[in-house]
Amino acid sequence: MWLEVITPEKKVFEGEVDAVRFPGIDGAFQVLKNHAPIISSLTEGIVKVDLSNHETDFDEFSGSFEPDSSNSRVIRMTIKGGVMEMQNDKIIVLAD
């Protein structure tokens, strides 16, 4: 599935992913491929992204996402809040 993460300043990530875990206002939740359409508010916390390919280059997004030291296919981003929408295997995150 496709993920785009956008902040007020710039697009901080765009790429193919296997799973994304979000800090929802009612608790953490994860979306996978073929998830039902969803829109959710996000709270302060960490967005965890499982990349489809561990060779995905996210250097241009440095400072926004950090690699997981134990898994080269996982990156994380701290957000202050926002909203996410998933529809037709495309996730758009508007994050603070």
Side-chain angles (χ1 to χ4, degrees):
M1 66 190 160
W2 192 256
L3 171 66
E4 290 183 26
V5 180
I6 303 167
T7 67
E9 294 81 30
K10 63 181 179 175
K11 184 181 291 189
V12 296
F13 181 84
E14 182 174 35
E16 193 72 27
V17 300
D18 287 337
V20 185
R21 185 169 178 85
F22 294 103
I25 59 171
D26 291 328
F29 65 97
Q30 179 172 312
V31 294
L32 303 169
K33 188 173 182 174
N34 297 321
H35 194 286
I38 181 175
I39 296 175
S40 179
S41 294
L42 305 175
T43 188
E44 185 172 354
I46 296 175
V47 175
K48 177 186 171 197
V49 179
D50 293 358
L51 301 169
S52 293
N53 180 349
H54 72 280
E55 295 178 10
T56 297
D57 181 15
F58 61 96
D59 286 344
E60 68 184 272
F61 309 117
S62 63
S64 300
F65 279 90
E66 297 178 7
D68 186 302
S69 59
S70 64
N71 187 339
S72 64
R73 289 186 54 234
V74 174
I75 58 175
R76 299 173 193 273
M77 176 185 183
T78 301
I79 63 170
K80 295 179 184 170
V83 65
M84 65 77 64
E85 175 187 24
M86 178 169 180
Q87 187 170 339
N88 299 324
D89 282 339
K90 182 176 181 182
I91 305 167
I92 299 175
V93 179
L94 303 176
D96 292 329

